[in-house]
Amino acid sequence: MVRILLAALAILGSTLYVPAKDLSADDLKTRLIERRAFEAVVWGMPAVNYDLMYQQMLGLGGKPNQIVYWSELFDWQYQTLTPNPDVIYLMAFFNTKDGPVVIEIPPAGDGVINGSIMDPWQAALEDVGPAGVDKGAGGKYLIVPPGYDAAVPADYIPLRSANYQGYALLRSIPKSGNKADVDAAVAYGKRIKLYPFSQASNPPETVFLDALGTVYDSTIPYDLRFFQSLDRFVQSEPWLDRDKAMIDQLKSVGIEKGKPFEPDATTQAILEAAVVEAQAWMDLQYETTFAPYYEGRQWVFPIAPDAIKGLQTQYADPDSYSVDGRGVTYTMAFFSTKHSGIGQFYLMTIKDKDGQPFDGSKTYRLTIPAHPPVKQYWSATAYDRATHALIRGQKILSRSSLSPGLATGVDGAVDIFFGPKVPDGKETNWVPTDPRGQFEVLFRFYGPEKPVFDKSWMLNDIEKVK
């Protein structure tokens, strides 16, 4: 994919790079817009990623301070970036412009919630559930707006945000993939509550919007729509001190608080070229910058260390602001945790054992050694390499330790197959791919244990078998 994008950019570059002395006023203006638009894409990626999900919620007829959920395990129509198809998703979108908002998490017991509450930059304010601050006892999380200085009652967990908007990604974990267990996970998830703090003495019923059966598409659009989304965000959120250097940068491309975004045809063309260039650059980083998690193998942890540190600390380090690493991360994922490696851990691969990109027309095998070190479950999910979303049109999206009928070898190992056709006798362990494109695989450890991190248990590379 990177080679194709870079070839297109080489053609574009041949028309842009000329000696400075030969540049006209129009040339200089074009270059300024193009450069600043490129940086705006990288900087604004997590905000646009959030806005796109929020717009989909509004498209369902939703409003702020309501919860989107899926009443069954979702199918390919849930087109966010690398979502988890083996759990029940509940996405609580909140807005504190009218005052603090409460999210109540039920105590663990007959169910369990895994997730985080985030600002619209997708930096976690706190984790929830057994891996979060409530430690599974449940709790009332109070999200307060910028400048709020009133006392917080002792029975609330205060979360202070520099922004008004945000969301919680909450996963209700089923005991298995069987319908009864999935239904129980849905019922448990619907015990979550979301309401204004001003109504805490008599909370209104939480509104749940069922997105099952609809295309919920928040994949990143690398065209003018990206800047339209970024403009919506700028208009609705305060400028943070850390980002004020972007005020003039965005003004150069037509995005300015309090003014409509109405680029002319010439500017639109420049913006479209810039966003394609930014996509190519970030995709190159995605392919080349992450170190192998295991020496000599293809699996990587797909987030740069400085990006993790920034997201978990609200960029508290005055000498570090990982805009580049953050931008790359949110081209292929959403969500962040406050505390790494407690609730879940991820490994991604885009290449087979021989270092070749995965081809959807070929067949591959992943052998998972016996006794994966997890308290809850493991899963392996295939995604479209071009969009980082679930592969469109497929009925099976992943296989996991929760999958009904999963076959296990006599030694306890499990073989998972990826390919366009089911291998003979392997139906229960097969994940289909699209023969017309490439794919990538994300392996999840839920409730990861020590051998994941000291690497005394190691995940094998995926091998091509046909």
Side-chain angles (χ1 to χ4, degrees):
M1 182 176 179
V2 165
R3 287 192 294 271
I4 296 171
L5 288 168
L6 291 179
L9 290 170
I11 297 172
L12 174 66
S14 67
T15 66
L16 290 179
Y17 297 103
V18 296
K21 64 182 178 62
D22 296 329
L23 294 174
S24 67
D26 286 344
D27 291 335
L28 290 170
K29 180 181 178 181
T30 295
R31 288 186 166 214
L32 176 71
I33 295 172
E34 195 277 337
R35 286 196 298 266
R36 292 189 168 182
F38 178 103
E39 297 300 338
V41 173
V42 178
W43 167 79
M45 184 60 69
V48 167
N49 187 320
Y50 160 78
D51 175 72
L52 294 168
M53 293 188 291
Y54 177 63
Q55 296 303 317
Q56 290 296 301
M57 186 272 285
L58 297 180
L60 291 173
K63 299 177 181 178
N65 302 329
Q66 296 181 349
I67 297 177
V68 175
Y69 83 111
W70 281 258
S71 56
E72 298 177 9
L73 296 176
F74 53 71
D75 60 17
W76 68 265
Q77 293 179 97
Y78 184 43
Q79 287 284 296
T80 55
L81 305 184
T82 58
N84 183 350
D86 295 297
V87 297
I88 295 299
Y89 266 27
L90 303 103
M91 299 178 70
F93 290 92
F94 58 83
N95 192 318
T96 62
K97 274 196 173 180
D98 294 329
V101 172
V102 180
I103 296 180
E104 285 193 33
I105 302 298
D110 54 349
V112 61
I113 295 293
N114 180 305
S116 299
I117 301 171
M118 291 158 284
D119 69 18
W121 291 97
Q122 307 207 47
L125 300 174
E126 192 50 81
D127 303 333
V128 305
V133 69
D134 65 83
K135 304 300 182 185
K140 295 185 288 187
Y141 291 81
L142 184 66
I143 305 132
V144 301
Y148 185 84
D149 56 7
V152 174
D155 56 338
Y156 288 83
I157 301 166
L159 303 181
R160 301 188 181 278
S161 178
N163 293 92
Y164 294 112
Q165 299 179 84
Y167 76 106
L169 177 61
L170 307 170
R171 313 171 189 85
S172 184
I173 313 298
K175 294 179 181 179
S176 78
N178 291 320
K179 186 178 187 306
D181 287 334
V182 171
D183 288 347
V186 172
Y188 176 76
K190 293 188 75 174
R191 291 171 57 188
I192 296 166
K193 297 179 181 179
L194 174 63
Y195 54 87
F197 180 53
S198 61
Q199 298 177 265
S201 61
N202 185 25
E205 185 175 347
T206 300
V207 176
F208 289 87
L209 305 162
D210 190 356
L212 191 71
T214 63
V215 177
Y216 197 95
D217 189 351
S218 64
T219 52
I220 307 299
Y222 292 98
D223 53 35
L224 189 66
R225 290 172 295 169
F226 187 98
F227 298 98
Q228 293 168 336
S229 177
L230 186 57
D231 176 68
R232 281 193 298 267
F233 186 90
V234 168
Q235 301 304 329
S236 61
E237 286 295 325
W239 279 106
L240 306 183
D241 286 345
R242 72 186 189 213
D243 290 320
K244 285 189 173 181
M246 290 301 298
I247 294 176
D248 274 3
Q249 299 269 0
L250 292 184
K251 194 182 297 185
S252 300
V253 305
I255 296 175
E256 184 175 359
K257 189 177 286 291
K259 294 186 178 182
F261 177 59
E262 297 175 340
D264 60 26
T266 299
T267 302
Q268 289 184 33
I270 299 169
L271 296 177
E272 298 242 356
V275 73
V276 170
E277 183 177 352
Q279 179 191 14
W281 181 82
M282 287 185 286
D283 200 64
L284 179 62
Q285 309 315 301
Y286 174 64
E287 286 193 358
T288 61
T289 60
F290 301 122
Y293 188 69
Y294 309 109
E295 185 176 354
R297 299 192 184 186
Q298 302 296 337
W299 294 100
V300 303
F301 182 64
I303 308 175
D306 57 346
I308 297 172
K309 179 182 176 182
L311 288 164
Q312 293 179 342
T313 64
Q314 293 290 329
Y315 306 95
D317 184 345
D319 297 316
S320 176
Y321 188 18
S322 181
V323 170
D324 289 351
R326 183 183 70 180
V328 172
T329 295
Y330 289 105
T331 64
M332 50 70 64
F334 67 104
F335 168 74
S336 72
T337 61
K338 188 74 172 177
H339 310 284
S340 294
I342 299 177
Q344 61 279 315
F345 187 72
Y346 308 101
L347 291 177
M348 174 73 84
T349 181
I350 60 175
K351 298 177 182 177
D352 66 18
K353 183 178 181 180
D354 297 323
Q356 297 302 307
F358 293 121
D359 181 342
S361 68
K362 308 297 183 183
T363 300
Y364 301 83
R365 178 180 61 235
L366 166 62
T367 298
I368 303 165
H371 311 301
V374 292
K375 296 175 184 176
Q376 295 177 359
Y377 75 97
W378 59 260
S379 68
T381 309
Y383 299 98
D384 186 323
R385 174 67 185 84
T387 65
H388 306 293
L390 295 166
I391 300 173
R392 284 177 172 262
Q394 303 297 349
K395 293 183 178 180
I396 301 169
L397 308 172
S398 70
R399 294 296 181 180
S400 78
S401 54
L402 304 177
S403 297
L406 188 76
T408 303
V410 293
D411 60 352
V414 176
D415 286 339
I416 303 295
F417 294 85
F418 303 89
K421 296 181 180 180
V422 58
D424 291 343
K426 307 297 183 183
E427 289 87 352
T428 60
N429 291 44
W430 170 62
V431 179
T433 59
D434 186 342
R436 298 167 297 180
Q438 296 181 340
F439 67 96
E440 57 195 7
V441 176
L442 184 64
F443 195 92
R444 290 177 167 89
F445 303 84
Y446 263 58
E449 297 181 307
K450 183 180 177 182
V452 173
F453 304 108
D454 67 18
K455 303 175 187 177
S456 56
W457 185 95
M458 297 174 64
L459 188 60
N460 293 310
D461 278 334
I462 299 174
E463 301 180 79
K464 186 170 73 171
V465 295
K466 187 168 64 174

